[in-house]
Amino acid sequence: MKIRMMLAAFFLLLLSGCSMEEDAVGADQTIAAVQVQFINPDEFKKKEIPLEVEVTQDKKPVEDASFVRFEIWRDGERKDSRIIDAKYIGEGRYTAQATVKKKGVYYVYAHTEAHGLHVMPKQKIEVQ
């Protein structure tokens, strides 16, 4: 009986401690959405494709995204998608280079995680 009471008290302390964080968001606070905008064009004449996005939050560049990864696949071949890690180049911009083997329509997700939020915009690209 004493052990059960001690365990119950421990779990209550543990649960109450979760909301004591300095960065905890209260009911009256909101987190600004992370915006991810593709910078690259949607048509390419070569098979080397530079991919670039601009990441912002509250209209300010995000310089410390946890990750930005481009997922690219040819239309109808999603199961064969590839993931390419992006590099930060400054002013909220992240870039990577993709190489495709065939002409056609491709899709790209920019999997982006910043400040605890995950955003994944999609772009359609045509390689001629």
Side-chain angles (χ1 to χ4, degrees), residues 16-84:
S16 66
C18 290
S19 64
M20 302 293 278
E21 294 179 29
E22 290 181 28
D23 293 341
V25 177
D28 59 338
Q29 295 176 320
T30 58
I31 297 175
V34 172
Q35 303 291 324
V36 179
Q37 179 75 37
F38 280 96
I39 304 296
N40 48 281
D42 54 8
E43 260 186 47
F44 293 91
K45 298 198 184 295
K46 57 184 180 174
K47 295 179 183 176
E48 301 290 325
I49 303 171
L51 301 170
E52 187 173 336
V53 291
E54 181 179 41
V55 182
T56 58
Q57 186 176 32
D58 206 18
K59 298 182 182 179
K60 297 174 190 163
V62 172
E63 300 174 348
D64 59 349
S66 299
F67 64 80
V68 176
R69 295 180 182 123
F70 294 103
E71 179 182 8
I72 185 167
W73 69 94
R74 192 163 190 258
D75 188 27
E77 299 175 7
R78 175 72 193 268
K79 65 182 179 348
D80 297 324
S81 70
R82 291 178 291 132
I83 303 286
I84 304 164

